[in-house]
Amino acid sequence: MESELKRFRNSPNSEELTRRSSFPDEVIERVLSLFKSHKDRSAVSLVCKDWYNAERWSRTHVFIGNCYSVSPEIVARRFPNIRSVTLKGKPRFSDFNLVPLNWGADIHAWLVVFADECPFLEELRLKRMTISDESLEFLSVSFPNFKSLSLLSCDGFSTNGLSAIATHCKNLIELDIQENGIDDRGGSWLSCFPESFTLLEVLNFANLTSDINFDVLERLVSRCKSLRVLKVNQSISLEQLPRLLVHAPQLTELGTGSFSQQLTFPQYEELESAFSSCNNIHTLSGLWDVKAIYLPALYSACTNLTFLNLSYAALQGGELAKLLRHCPRLQRLWVMDTVEDKGLEAVGLNCPLLEELRVFPLDPYDEEIAHGVTEAGFIAVSCFCPRLHYVLYFCRQMTNAAVATVVQNCPNFTHFRLCIMNPRQPDCTTGEPMDEAFGAVVKTCTKLQRLSVSGLLTDLTFEYIGKYAKNLETLSVAFAGSSDWGMQCVLEGCPKLRKLEIRDCPFGNKALLSGLEKYESMRSLWMSACNVTMNGCRLLARVMPRLNVEVMKEDGSDDSQADKVYVYRSVAGPRRDAPPSVQTL
């Protein structure tokens, strides 16, 4: 769609066609409302001035992939009728503690502007942003129609901030708190919802650690008859879970609490009966510290499951196999590597509709660990799951031949993220580099959009990527490559590249500066522990003034070296809140 609009806009007859198509604004806005993709809407807005203005006034949802790529003032001026904002902050490598503390990405300045210019804001979705308790309280009292708050991998706040949201947001239908660096000061925040409050549709506090007042939770769940999503934390026991399910048989997504307490036979029967009444569940997660003896209680609720998240449940292969026999419609599966290859064989045999598989390590830093998955499990899944198009696979060994077999069996991969946990690990059978593995991926999977590479890799891997990965948008690289040539191949050969993440690679200034014609069309470039110097970064900043070039220095590092480099395009200019550890060139 986006490409078709660009062809129309650039055609010699586009001005004449536009003049002939002068519909009333109401008609144009109605047509634009049918476009759901933000990329398509952005492309539409460039056709002509009338479409630009119509798109401006009709756009209610805005997605911003980098909070420093634009200012809140520009966003509010461009889209005055915003109701929903999705905003991403810190680079992804902040998940690995590679970004300094207090780096930035504070939401407060955005909230202040939106309170003045977009007071009808209803929905805020943040990822890797910093949000303080003061900001949460400001949010709760500044937007009278506010309905949805989703915080993913955010930091800076405590459960006191959640108390403010529960107290003041009278129209709240969604509170989704996932994997945040939160100061958990106890479960009393849940009691701040008024006893008359009944609107909640989504409640997720799975990653909080403190005990919850169960009686308060039970009353809240019983009042909210439209509750669709409930994900609780470990403090909710197997004995308590049935009491929640009885009040909410309409749930479509459930995250259980701890699954390990000792149950009497009557208690087990009560649990089994509660699950048998949950006929609408299509997403199941939680199962913390699961004891396999209680898994049969779930079976009656598994018939319609399309997503099973076992990333906190260290199941063995045989235990997983028994569970999967009851999940005929499964499309997405997340497991821990404790299932081993035997468990993945069961995935292949029982999940013919599978589209997404993620295998996480129980302990990525224990090199002596006995269990795990190998190339055999990977092949077993691919043999019987032809619809598989997304994989995240942590393992300790792999072969070129295995990866080639996997992509032959599943040529429609859009996301292929292979993480061999031992850096620079060669083919475990031949001892050769893993170049041919990723060569097979990019040659075979023509729809590939995201790729993570690992293992012993030379520049040949990047030559393959540059030559064949024409739809690639995101590339993540660690401990790979031989010279600057590898990065040059990627920057010169991947026309749709949007994000490039590199760490611990031999790429230097020549590689960095080979992307001069590319960076303005990309969202961001991250390079850490590479061979880039301060002079190279200064030259990039001087030649490309519309880019923000940020260098993060570590204590005691060589003054001439650029330890961590973050490059991104911005229409707002250099940011004004950078800490002393971040130097903007």
Side-chain angles (χ1 to χ4, degrees), residues 344-358:
L344 295 184
E345 290 171 9
V347 173
L349 293 174
N350 293 284
C351 305
L353 304 181
L354 195 70
E355 298 178 2
E356 175 183 326
L357 173 67
R358 304 194 190 198

Side-chain angles (χ1 to χ4, degrees), residues 312-375:
Y312 294 104
L315 291 180
Q316 303 300 308
E319 298 163 352
L320 178 65
K322 292 177 183 178
L323 178 59
L324 292 182
R325 293 187 191 118
H326 301 270
C327 306
R329 295 179 173 87
L330 208 61
Q331 297 174 16
R332 302 175 63 201
L333 176 63
W334 296 8
V335 296
M336 299 184 74
D337 62 2
T338 54
V339 302
E340 301 186 324
D341 292 338
K342 180 181 178 181
L344 295 184
E345 290 171 9
V347 173
L349 293 174
N350 293 284
C351 305
L353 304 181
L354 195 70
E355 298 178 2
E356 175 183 326
L357 173 67
R358 304 194 190 198
V359 181
F360 298 96
L362 177 65
D363 186 349
Y365 304 108
D366 186 354
E367 297 184 6
E368 304 299 323
I369 207 159
H371 62 256
V373 295
T374 72
E375 68 280 3

Side-chain angles (χ1 to χ4, degrees), residues 139-156:
L139 169 67
S140 71
V141 299
S142 299
F143 304 96
N145 297 325
F146 193 76
K147 296 179 179 179
S148 298
L149 177 64
S150 174
L151 304 178
L152 174 60
S153 300
C154 295
D155 60 21

Side-chain angles (χ1 to χ4, degrees), residues 11 65 81 172 308 343 348 405 434 460 475 517 522:
S11 70
N81 290 322
L172 194 70
L308 180 57
T405 300
M434 292 293 295
L460 182 58
L475 175 62
E517 297 180 359
M522 291 172 56

Side-chain angles (χ1 to χ4, degrees), residues 3-173:
S3 60
E4 292 173 1
L5 287 165
K6 286 181 179 178
R7 283 198 296 272
F8 166 75
R9 189 175 68 246
N10 295 327
S11 70
N13 298 321
S14 62
E15 185 176 346
E16 181 181 353
L17 288 170
T18 303
R19 191 163 55 244
R20 290 175 183 170
S21 302
S22 62
F23 298 109
D25 289 346
E26 294 81 1
V27 174
I28 299 176
E29 289 181 14
R30 173 59 182 159
V31 172
L32 292 180
S33 70
L34 302 176
F35 290 94
K36 303 305 179 185
S37 164
H38 67 271
K39 290 183 179 180
D40 287 346
R41 290 190 66 104
S42 296
V44 163
S45 71
L46 299 177
V47 171
C48 67
K49 203 163 191 178
D50 285 344
W51 289 25
Y52 175 92
N53 287 327
E55 205 274 332
R56 176 190 181 215
W57 289 103
S58 64
R59 175 82 76 106
T60 58
H61 175 255
V62 174
F63 169 85
I64 301 166
N66 178 354
C67 66
Y68 290 118
S69 65
V70 65
S71 69
E73 292 84 2
I74 293 173
V75 173
R77 189 165 59 245
R78 173 74 175 89
F79 303 112
N81 290 322
I82 292 175
R83 297 292 187 274
S84 171
V85 175
T86 299
L87 192 59
K88 294 184 177 182
K90 299 171 188 173
R92 191 180 69 90
F93 277 161
S94 65
D95 294 347
F96 306 99
N97 299 318
L98 294 178
V99 174
L101 293 175
N102 304 315
W103 179 83
D106 195 306
I107 190 61
H108 196 77
W110 289 81
L111 295 178
V112 170
V113 172
F114 287 160
D116 289 336
E117 304 296 334
C118 310
F120 300 109
L121 186 73
E122 297 177 356
E123 181 177 301
L124 186 63
R125 300 186 178 279
L126 305 180
K127 186 173 184 180
R128 299 190 187 96
M129 295 288 291
T130 293
I131 182 166
S132 66
D133 287 342
E134 291 74 20
S135 293
L136 285 172
E137 184 165 1
F138 181 83
L139 169 67
S140 71
V141 299
S142 299
F143 304 96
N145 297 325
F146 193 76
K147 296 179 179 179
S148 298
L149 177 64
S150 174
L151 304 178
L152 174 60
S153 300
C154 295
D155 60 21
F157 67 104
S158 76
T159 44
N160 291 346
L162 300 184
S163 297
I165 296 294
T167 300
H168 300 296
C169 295
K170 307 300 184 184
N171 298 307
L172 194 70
I173 63 173

